[in-house]
Amino acid sequence: MEELATEKEAEESHRQDSVSLLTFILLLTLTILTIWLFKHRRVRFLHETGLAMIYGLIVGVILRYGTPSTSGHDKPFSCSQEDRPFTTLLVNVSGKFFEYTLKGEISPGKIHNVEQNDMLRKVTFDPEVFFNILLPPIIFHAGYSLKKRHFFRNLGSILAYAFLGTAVSCFIIGNLMYGVVKLMKLVGQLSDKFYYTDCLLFGAIISATDPVTVLAIFNELHADVDLYALLFGESVLNDAVAIVLSSSIVAYQPTGENTHAFDAAAFFKSVGVFLGIFSGSFMMGAVTGVVTALVTKFTKLHCFPLLETALFFLMSWSTFLLAEACGFTGVVAVLFCGITQAHYTYNNLSVESRSRTKQLFEVLHFLAENFIFSYMGLALFTFQKHIFSPVFIIGAFIAIFLGRAAHIYPLSFLLNLGRRHKISWNFQHMMMFSGLRGAMAFALAIRDTATYSHQMMFSTTLLIVFFTVWIVGGGTTPMLSWLNIRVGVDPDQDPPPTNDSFQDGPDSERRNRTKQESAWLFRLWYSFDHNYLKPILTHSGPPLTTTLPSWCGLVARCLTSPQVYNNQEQLREEDSDFILNDGDLTVTYGDTTITANGSSGLHTATTSLDGKRTKSSSEEALEHDLGAADHEVTSRGTRLVFPLEDNA
C-alpha cells in the first residue's frame, strides 16, 4: 500500500508539473494573439511585456484564491543541537530513509503559514532558472543584433552613461534609501535588520534599466536614431554593469566586529572585484567568439548549415555557463560574445545559417522575455515572502527619480562639452523619462530572498517594474509628441547640421563627417581590426600578405582565406550597420571634394607615377567598412559615391 501511495504521489506531481508548464505556454500564446490584435489596431498605450504581466496577474489570482490546498503533511521538528542548516537532510521514518533539500529560512511568526498548495509551489521557479536558462538568450540577442552604425558613433557617451552613470545612480539611490531605512526605524516600521550594504545592493539592482517598451515604440515609429542608439546602448551595457556592481557589493566584507561598517580596505577590494569580474567576463566572452569564428572559418561546416547553426548556438550559450562556473559574470560574457559573433563569426556563416541564427535568437529572446514578465505578474500572488512597506516603496520611487536625474543631466552636460552633435534637452528629458526597470532588475532581486531586507527589496522591485512598464511605457508616445522628437525618420538619414551641433573648421582640415562623428575610441582600434583581425578571423578584409611584414609571409598565407584572393571586392557584412552620413554622396574633381550637404574641402590623396590618384591605406580601409554599401562610378576623373539601400 505504501508503494502504491508513493507511485500515486509521483504521478500527481508529474501531472502538476505538466499543468504548471502548460499554464505558462497558454499565457505566452494568449500574449502573442493579443499582441497581433494590438498591432492590427495600432494600439501603442500598452506594450507586449505589460500584457504578459497583466495575464500573469490574472492567473496568479486564480491560483492563489481559486485552487484548494492539496497537502498538509508538513510538521516542524526541532534540531536544537545544530548551529547551521543543512543543504540535504536524510530522515529516518520507520527504518526507511528519505532525502529532503533546503528551501530557505522561515520566520518564527510564519511557521504555521507555510504554503500548503502544491500547485503554487510548482509554479514558483528556482531563481537559477532565470539566470541559466532565460537570461542568456535575452542578453546574447542584445549583443548579436547590435546596430553598429549609430552605436559606434555614440560609443563614448554610451560608455559614460553605462559605467559612470550606473555607479552614480547606485550610490545616490543607496544613500537615499539608507535615510529611508533610518526613518522607518524611527517610526517603528522596521521589524528586522536592514544594513547600509543592503541599501547599496538595492541601488545596484534597481539601477539596471530595461526600456524594452520605449525602444519597441521607437522602432515602430522610427524615432530619432541617435536617441535610440543612446538608450539601447546604455541599457545593454547597463545590465552588465549593474550585475557586476551587485556582485562587488556582496563581496564587501570589512574586517573587525562590525561587518557592516565602512572599511577602506574592503572598499578598494570591492573595486578590484568589480574590475576583475568585468574584465575577466569580457575577455571570456570575446575569446569564445573568436574561437567560434576560427572554427567556422577553417572548417567546412558551411557545407552543413544545420551543424553550423547548432555549433554556433551551443558555443554562444556555453559562454554564459563557462563564465559562471569560473566565478565571473555570465551576463557580461554572453553580451560581448554576441557582439564578437556578430562582428566576426557572422561573416563566416553560410547564408542559411545567417538567417537561422538571427531568427533563432530573436524567437528565444521574445519567448524568454515575455515568460519573465508573465512570471512577474504571477509572482505578485504566488511568492510566499512578500514584505510591502509603504514608506520604503515611496522612498524608493523618489530615490529612483533623483538617481536617474543625477545620472542623465550632469553627464549629458559634460559629454556635450566634447561632442560635435550635442545631446539636446529634449533628448535628455526623454532619456530621463525612459529609465524603465524590467527583467534584469527582477532577476537580480529574486536571486536572493533569504533575509528580511532582501524580501522587502524584491517586493518593492516588483512594484517598480509594474509601474514603469505600465505607466511610463504607456506614456512614451505622448512624451515623444510633447518633446517634439522626430519620428518617421529614415535610419540612414542624419539630422541637419546646426550651429551648436557642428563646428566648422578650415577647409583644409574638414573631413567627411562620417569620420568626424565616429567615436575616437572606435577610430583608434578600427585600423588594427580591419588590417589584422578581420583577415585572420573572417573571409573579409585585405590579405595579410599586404598588411604583415614580408618576413611573416608564410604565416600570412596560412591565415588568409582563399576567398580574399579570389574576389576582387571584399565580402560585405550584410548584417552590419556601418556609419554613413549625408556626406556619403561625394563628388571628387581635381583636388576638391564636394559632399551632399554642400561642404567642400581638399581631397587628401596622393598621385602615382602614371598620374592616377590613389588614397592612403588607412583612408581607404575606413571608407570601405564605414561605407561598405557604397557603389563607385568613375568617369573622366570624377568619382561619384552612391549609397545603396541597407538590407539589415
Side-chain angles (χ1 to χ4, degrees):
M1 293 297 294
E2 291 180 358
E3 292 179 355
L4 290 176
T6 303
E7 291 179 359
K8 185 176 181 180
E9 289 180 359
E11 183 179 352
E12 180 67 18
S13 177
H14 173 72
R15 186 186 66 83
Q16 290 176 353
D17 287 336
S18 301
V19 171
S20 63
L21 292 177
L22 179 62
T23 300
F24 284 103
I25 291 177
L26 292 178
L27 276 175
L28 292 176
T29 304
L30 185 61
T31 301
I32 291 172
L33 293 176
T34 313
I35 291 171
W36 168 81
L37 180 63
F38 275 36
K39 289 184 178 294
H40 181 67
R41 299 293 183 182
R42 299 193 177 186
V43 177
R44 298 192 180 97
F45 68 88
L46 188 62
H47 187 248
E48 58 200 43
T49 54
L51 281 172
M53 294 171 69
I54 292 175
Y55 290 141
L57 283 170
I58 295 173
V59 174
V61 171
I62 295 173
L63 291 178
R64 166 59 67 181
Y65 302 107
T67 55
S69 299
T70 53
S71 64
H73 307 294
D74 294 338
K75 181 179 179 180
F77 290 92
S78 177
C79 300
S80 57
Q81 297 180 354
E82 305 297 336
D83 57 354
R84 64 181 181 85
F86 295 96
T87 304
T88 304
L89 191 65
L90 297 178
V91 179
N92 186 349
V93 181
S94 301
K96 294 183 179 181
F97 289 90
F98 297 89
E99 180 182 2
Y100 295 86
T101 57
L102 179 67
K103 296 289 292 184
E105 182 182 2
I106 301 174
S107 61
K110 297 184 178 181
I111 190 67
H112 299 293
N113 296 326
V114 179
E115 184 57 65
Q116 299 296 321
N117 192 321
D118 285 343
M119 191 60 196
L120 290 181
R121 288 180 174 180
K122 293 292 184 181
V123 297
T124 304
F125 287 96
D126 189 331
E128 294 303 314
V129 172
F130 293 98
F131 266 81
N132 295 330
I133 297 178
L134 298 178
L135 276 185
I138 295 176
I139 303 300
F140 182 86
H141 179 264
Y144 193 54
S145 62
L146 183 68
K147 301 299 184 182
K148 291 184 289 185
R149 173 184 175 184
H150 295 280
F151 177 85
F152 283 116
R153 190 168 70 181
N154 297 279
L155 182 60
S157 301
I158 290 172
L159 291 176
Y161 285 128
F163 284 86
L164 186 58
T166 303
V168 169
S169 176
C170 168
F171 283 101
I172 288 179
I173 294 175
N175 283 280
L176 290 176
M177 293 311 298
Y178 188 63
V180 172
V181 168
K182 289 294 186 182
L183 176 62
M184 293 173 61
K185 190 174 182 179
L186 287 176
V187 298
Q189 293 194 10
L190 197 66
S191 58
D192 208 336
K193 297 178 180 179
F194 209 121
Y195 298 108
Y196 178 68
T197 51
D198 294 327
C199 296
L200 286 181
L201 179 61
F202 178 72
I205 290 173
I206 211 66
S207 294
T209 60
D210 185 17
V212 56
T213 305
V214 176
L215 292 176
I217 294 175
F218 278 14
N219 190 50
E220 184 178 355
L221 296 178
H222 300 289
D224 190 283
V225 287
D226 282 327
L227 177 60
Y228 183 93
L230 288 171
L231 276 175
F232 179 78
E234 180 207 357
S235 65
V236 167
L237 296 179
N238 165 273
D239 289 346
V241 174
I243 191 172
V244 179
L245 198 58
S246 62
S247 300
S248 304
I249 294 173
V250 171
Y252 177 79
Q253 296 179 346
T255 57
E257 296 181 358
N258 190 355
T259 58
H260 294 275
F262 178 78
D263 188 313
F267 172 77
F268 287 109
K269 180 183 177 182
S270 295
V271 173
V273 169
F274 175 87
L275 297 176
I277 291 179
F278 196 94
S279 58
S281 303
F282 166 77
M283 290 300 299
M284 188 165 291
V287 168
T288 306
V290 167
V291 170
T292 310
L294 290 173
V295 171
T296 54
K297 176 182 177 180
F298 292 105
T299 62
K300 297 293 184 180
L301 274 175
H302 64 272
C303 299
F304 306 94
L306 179 60
L307 300 180
E308 190 179 36
T309 304
L311 178 67
F312 183 93
F313 174 80
L314 293 176
M315 290 291 289
S316 303
W317 201 304
S318 63
T319 304
F320 183 93
L321 301 177
L322 178 62
E324 293 288 336
C326 294
F328 296 110
T329 300
V331 170
V332 179
V334 79
L335 170 64
F336 287 101
C337 177
I339 296 175
T340 307
Q341 300 276 46
H343 191 59
Y344 297 114
T345 311
Y346 184 87
N347 296 292
N348 301 334
L349 300 178
S350 60
V351 177
E352 295 87 345
S353 295
R354 293 184 183 186
S355 176
R356 286 176 179 177
T357 54
K358 286 177 65 69
Q359 294 176 1
L360 173 64
F361 281 101
E362 187 175 3
V363 170
L364 290 176
H365 163 264
F366 173 81
L367 293 177
E369 189 170 60
N370 281 278
F371 183 93
I372 290 179
F373 279 95
S374 297
Y375 187 80
M376 287 184 198
L378 203 68
L380 188 62
F381 293 96
T382 60
F383 186 71
Q384 304 176 38
K385 305 174 184 178
H386 278 307
I387 298 178
F388 294 103
S389 171
V391 176
F392 191 86
I393 293 171
I394 295 173
F397 275 99
I398 296 174
I400 289 172
F401 178 83
L402 296 177
R404 184 69 179 173
H407 172 179
I408 296 298
Y409 295 113
L411 275 182
S412 299
F413 172 77
L414 295 176
L415 290 170
N416 280 339
L417 297 178
R419 282 179 61 100
R420 294 180 179 274
H421 190 190
K422 308 299 183 184
I423 303 175
S424 59
W425 280 107
N426 57 347
F427 277 22
Q428 296 178 40
H429 296 329
M430 193 67 215
M431 293 179 68
M432 170 70 190
F433 179 80
S434 303
L436 283 74
R437 271 60 179 181
M440 179 57 70
F442 173 79
L444 287 173
I446 200 175
R447 198 173 192 182
D448 182 7
T449 56
T451 63
Y452 168 84
S453 59
H454 287 195
Q455 292 165 10
M456 184 183 295
M457 287 156 51
F458 171 72
S459 302
T460 305
T461 299
L462 202 57
L463 293 181
I464 291 172
V465 173
F466 286 166
F467 178 84
T468 56
V469 171
W470 288 339
I471 306 301
V472 179
T476 301
T477 303
M479 183 62 69
L480 284 172
S481 176
W482 185 64
L483 293 175
N484 295 321
I485 294 177
R486 300 186 309 157
V487 295
V489 179
D490 184 354
D492 291 329
Q493 177 186 355
D494 289 294
T498 57
N499 293 332
D500 60 344
S501 297
F502 298 97
Q503 299 175 357
D504 294 333
D507 289 345
S508 59
E509 297 179 358
R510 190 175 303 163
R511 298 180 180 179
N512 187 291
R513 208 193 309 163
T514 291
K515 302 172 187 177
Q516 289 180 337
E517 293 184 2
S518 303
W520 65 270
L521 188 61
F522 173 63
R523 296 199 302 267
L524 285 179
W525 74 270
Y526 180 84
S527 179
F528 176 78
D529 174 69
H530 177 82
N531 292 329
Y532 302 104
L533 295 183
K534 280 284 186 69
I536 293 175
L537 301 177
T538 70
H539 299 300
S540 61
L544 289 172
T545 52
T546 62
T547 58
L548 289 177
S550 58
W551 53 271
C552 297
L554 179 61
V555 176
R557 286 190 294 271
C558 292
L559 295 178
T560 302
S561 173
Q563 285 89 328
V564 175
Y565 297 106
N566 297 334
N567 298 330
Q568 293 291 335
E569 298 179 358
Q570 301 299 327
L571 299 179
R572 177 177 179 264
E573 297 177 61
E574 296 181 2
D575 189 47
S576 299
D577 278 321
F578 296 105
I579 304 176
L580 304 174
N581 293 277
D582 51 6
D584 288 338
L585 180 57
T586 306
V587 179
T588 302
Y589 188 80
D591 290 334
T592 304
T593 299
I594 303 176
T595 60
N597 61 4
S599 63
S600 62
L602 293 180
H603 183 65
T604 57
T606 60
T607 304
S608 61
L609 294 177
D610 57 358
K612 295 182 178 179
R613 298 177 50 78
T614 60
K615 292 177 291 183
S616 64
S617 59
S618 59
E619 180 186 357
E620 186 176 3
L622 183 61
E623 182 178 312
H624 169 262
D625 269 2
L626 297 186
D630 293 353
H631 178 69
E632 297 189 7
V633 179
T634 304
S635 175
R636 297 183 183 179
T638 302
R639 182 167 63 85
L640 301 178
V641 184
F642 298 96
L644 298 182
E645 182 178 356
D646 194 290
N647 297 324

